Amino acid sequence: MIAPSILSADFARLADELAAVPTSDWIHVDVMDNHFVPNLTLGLPVVKSLLKVTDIPIDCHLMIEDPDRWAIGYAEAGAYNVTVHVEAANDPIALAKNLRAAGSKAGLSIKPGTPLEPYVEVLKHYDTLLVMSVEPGFGGQSFMADVLHKVRQARHLVDTGHLKLLVEIDGGINADTIEQAAQAGVDCFVAGSAVYDAADPGKAVEALRAQAAGARGTRTT
């Protein structure tokens, strides 16, 4: 699965930018509050507008403080998947239940320096694990390959039936990095500049998907 990140899109032409990637599996929307991360992007009003102009499922990544309070609004608005950070959530298990009750899938994200092990039981309540392969806050950063051990851990837990979720990765995904992420066991790849800096974003999505599919067949354990 390929999820173009509109953080790298032209904010003045968001409807056109979504239309330029018609075969995307999800559209990834980074919400930042300038508190949990040192950047301020868009919020719920823009997400509501995006939902009116695309049928592609919206994948909201909330890099915000107090997601227990704010995340439910994105689910109620119609986002397909709403991801919160484990480092910010007060009660991640209750939050997952509330997101599902509000109509969305529930995603849990972990920063590069956050280990997976303490949250395995929590992840049993989630539909998506988003592994950050850059420090959250800004687009265009370099891929941190050392986080792939967490992807492999999660993939093993899914393959052995201990978890039932989709493994997503976000940060520095492009033609040079997507294959190693796929080999580690990623299901969904968030790609920003690799898509929207391309001459043809739609073709870039297809090329990344083909690379990932080919590499997944030589997956490492």
Side-chain angles (χ1 to χ4, degrees):
M1 297 172 60
I2 305 296
S5 172
I6 63 167
L7 185 63
S8 297
D10 182 348
F11 279 16
R13 303 174 52 253
L14 285 179
D16 293 337
E17 296 284 60
L18 268 60
V21 289
T23 64
S24 301
D25 298 283
W26 291 353
I27 295 294
H28 189 81
V29 180
D30 286 314
V31 176
M32 307 182 198
D33 65 357
N34 199 32
H35 294 285
F36 180 69
V37 292
N39 196 7
L40 183 66
T41 56
L42 43 80
L44 185 55
V46 174
V47 170
K48 289 179 176 178
S49 295
L50 295 176
L51 287 162
K52 295 176 182 178
V53 298
T54 185
D55 293 327
I56 302 172
I58 298 294
D59 175 33
C60 288
H61 177 196
L62 306 185
M63 289 171 269
I64 63 173
E65 289 184 350
D66 200 9
D68 305 71
R69 176 183 179 186
W70 299 109
I72 307 306
Y74 292 84
E76 292 174 341
Y80 178 79
N81 186 66
V82 178
T83 295
V84 299
H85 269 266
V86 72
E87 302 91 354
N90 294 315
D91 189 342
I93 293 176
L95 182 50
K97 293 177 180 177
N98 290 336
L99 285 169
R100 287 172 165 176
S104 75
K105 301 290 187 182
L108 194 68
S109 184
I110 55 177
K111 292 182 178 182
T114 301
L116 180 67
E117 293 88 346
Y119 305 107
V120 171
E121 291 301 312
V122 173
L123 283 166
K124 291 181 178 179
H125 300 269
Y126 279 81
D127 303 291
T128 306
L129 166 65
L130 176 59
V131 177
M132 292 300 298
S133 44
V134 297
E135 288 297 335
F138 294 91
Q141 298 182 64
S142 297
F143 180 74
M144 300 169 67
D146 57 354
V147 306
L148 292 180
H149 75 280
K150 291 188 281 188
V151 172
R152 296 186 185 96
Q153 287 176 318
R155 182 81 266 149
H156 177 73
L157 290 167
V158 172
D159 290 347
T160 56
H162 290 83
L163 293 177
K164 295 181 180 179
L165 49 73
L166 181 148
V167 181
E168 185 177 12
I169 196 164
D170 180 9
I173 294 297
N174 54 41
D176 297 323
T177 60
I178 194 168
E179 292 184 10
Q180 57 184 308
Q183 289 169 355
V186 172
D187 299 302
C188 182
F189 306 83
V190 177
S193 56
V195 171
Y196 282 114
D197 286 355
D200 187 328
K203 288 184 178 178
V205 167
E206 291 300 313
L208 289 169
R209 181 182 287 115
Q211 268 194 284
R216 189 66 180 266
T218 58
R219 199 178 85 200
T220 57
T221 58

